[in-house]
Amino acid sequence: MKVLVTKRVFPEAVEYLRSKFEVDYVSTDEGLTPQELAQRVKGVQGIVSQLTDKFDATVIGRLEGVKVLANVAVGYDNIDVPAATAKGIAVTNTPDVLTETTADFAWALLMSAARRVVEGHAFVHSGQWKRWTIDLLAGQDIFGKTLGIFGLGRIGQAVARRGRGFGMTILYNDAQRAPESIEQELGARFVDKDTLLRESDYVSLHVPLTEGTRKLIGTPELNLMKPTAILINTARGPVVDEAAVAEALKARRIAAAGLDVFEKEPSVHPLLLELTNVVLAPHIASASVDTRRRMSTMAAENCAAALEGRRPANLLNPAVWA
Ligand code: GLV
């Protein structure tokens, strides 16, 4: 059997796949254009894909003989899962291994934006630091403030747990209310969307990108937030209206933002690049060496399991396994 790895991954994943299958490894960081992808998938049974590969209904409709699409990411908005299910293709992702790493990074953005760490670095680095002054780069407090979380799944919970250590009041909103035991453990209170926006000092996004969460945060939502509030996005770019966030930051309708994901990566709204009250990162929230290595090997294991007739550990469409 043959596996296509669409883009560079950690070498352990490729070695593992090569011990079992013939492997067509695209070892570049550019990966494949949609046209190249359409060619390379011919004659393969397994695909190890990344979030930059788009498997929409048209691409999936053209796949022949493919049994598994193993995405090296927890998010899978790049794959039309119902279309894959209709073709009997198993789809897998890489949950759990990146939960704590991603929560750490959401907090890195939160703390950097609140305490103006990046501005401070630029200030020192450019030689502007001439004297200590009473309000030099004064930011927002974190300890004891209110943290509002959209999406109390694995990562949202890990972010909330850290918030407990900072003595924060935790609010959350989700399509589904969390079990009482989770709410109690985290001290998290379920509130409606508007209450979360109005009461939170920090709003952190941890929802998957779906039609229901697209532009979850736009101008009306930003207008409800406190002028001192800080928005953190480590979920997916299209969950916020990027132009609206840029305008709100410019007009200081919110104080700051920490953004790891963007609507049209690697493009960033030009206004965001001009502002000092936003911390920008290139979609690296899960990027610790250990976690990215584990995501690579996990996708390879999911792919191998499906090809060897074993149910993959992280199967997203169990209907194909029935
Ligand atoms: C990264 O964004 C992921 O979904 O794993």
Side-chain angles (χ1 to χ4, degrees):
M1 271 186 287
K2 190 168 169 185
V3 172
L4 170 68
V5 179
T6 63
K7 198 168 168 172
R8 191 167 65 85
V9 289
F10 274 69
E12 293 86 339
V14 180
E15 281 156 30
Y16 173 78
L17 289 168
R18 282 196 173 129
S19 73
K20 293 169 175 283
F21 313 108
E22 184 187 338
V23 179
D24 180 9
Y25 179 33
V26 181
S27 59
T28 65
D29 290 328
E30 292 75 39
L32 300 168
T33 63
Q35 293 75 13
E36 288 166 341
L37 182 66
Q39 285 304 314
R40 296 283 271 264
V41 293
K42 288 186 182 148
V44 310
Q45 288 74 46
I47 302 174
V48 174
S49 60
Q50 295 191 33
L51 53 86
T52 42
D53 301 312
K54 203 163 174 50
F55 283 92
D56 58 18
T58 312
V59 175
I60 288 176
R62 293 198 191 115
L63 297 177
E64 295 292 343
V66 172
K67 292 185 164 47
V68 58
L69 246 172
N71 215 33
V72 189
V74 68
Y76 48 89
D77 48 280
N78 59 313
I79 300 175
D80 187 327
V81 179
T85 307
K87 292 265 296 189
I89 300 170
V91 182
T92 65
N93 67 340
T94 60
D96 303 318
V97 289
L98 49 61
T99 299
E100 303 301 342
T101 308
T102 304
D104 283 348
F105 196 78
W107 267 88
L109 288 179
L110 186 158
M111 297 188 82
S112 304
R115 298 303 306 278
R116 307 177 65 179
V117 175
V118 176
E119 283 177 88
H121 177 87
F123 191 78
V124 174
H125 209 262
S126 61
Q128 292 176 75
W129 190 27
K130 302 293 183 216
R131 59 189 66 81
W132 190 92
T133 63
I134 196 72
D135 59 354
L136 178 62
L137 292 174
Q140 308 288 332
D141 274 319
I142 300 167
F143 191 89
K145 295 289 184 173
T146 297
L147 172 61
I149 294 179
F150 277 108
L152 199 69
R154 288 170 289 239
I155 298 170
Q157 288 176 31
V159 168
R161 210 164 281 122
R162 284 157 178 73
R164 295 275 276 172
F166 281 80
M168 296 177 101
T169 300
I170 314 282
L171 307 179
Y172 81 97
N173 179 265
D174 204 319
Q176 235 176 318
R177 194 165 167 171
E180 214 180 302
S181 56
I182 300 279
E183 288 187 352
Q184 268 170 13
E185 181 214 327
L186 300 173
R189 182 158 61 89
F190 180 82
V191 291
D192 61 44
K193 184 177 165 184
D194 288 5
T195 304
L196 186 148
L197 291 164
R198 272 196 206 100
E199 294 187 5
S200 298
D201 298 298
Y202 297 90
V203 173
S204 195
L205 307 177
H206 302 287
V207 292
L209 173 61
T210 63
E211 282 321 304
T213 63
R214 197 173 284 278
K215 293 209 191 322
L216 175 71
I217 305 294
T219 301
E221 289 75 20
L222 292 158
N223 285 343
L224 288 178
M225 289 170 68
K226 299 181 185 181
T228 48
I230 293 180
L231 176 70
I232 305 300
N233 189 8
T234 53
R236 282 292 183 268
V239 172
V240 306
D241 178 338
E242 204 169 305
V245 171
E247 290 298 339
L249 288 167
K250 184 171 183 217
R252 304 274 165 172
R253 274 186 280 116
I254 63 170
L259 307 175
D260 182 50
V261 285
F262 301 88
E263 278 182 58
K264 295 191 177 77
E265 294 172 12
S267 294
V268 173
H269 192 285
L271 181 53
L272 290 174
L273 300 174
E274 291 172 18
L275 301 173
T276 52
N277 55 340
V278 61
V279 179
L280 305 169
H283 201 147
I284 55 170
S286 67
S288 72
V289 176
D290 287 346
T291 292
R292 286 285 168 86
R293 179 182 293 117
R294 188 64 194 113
M295 288 164 68
S296 302
T297 56
M298 205 169 169
E301 285 160 16
N302 283 323
C303 179
L307 294 184
E308 292 174 343
R310 292 176 284 114
R311 186 189 161 107
N314 311 111
L315 185 62
L316 291 165
N317 51 352
V320 300
W321 219 258

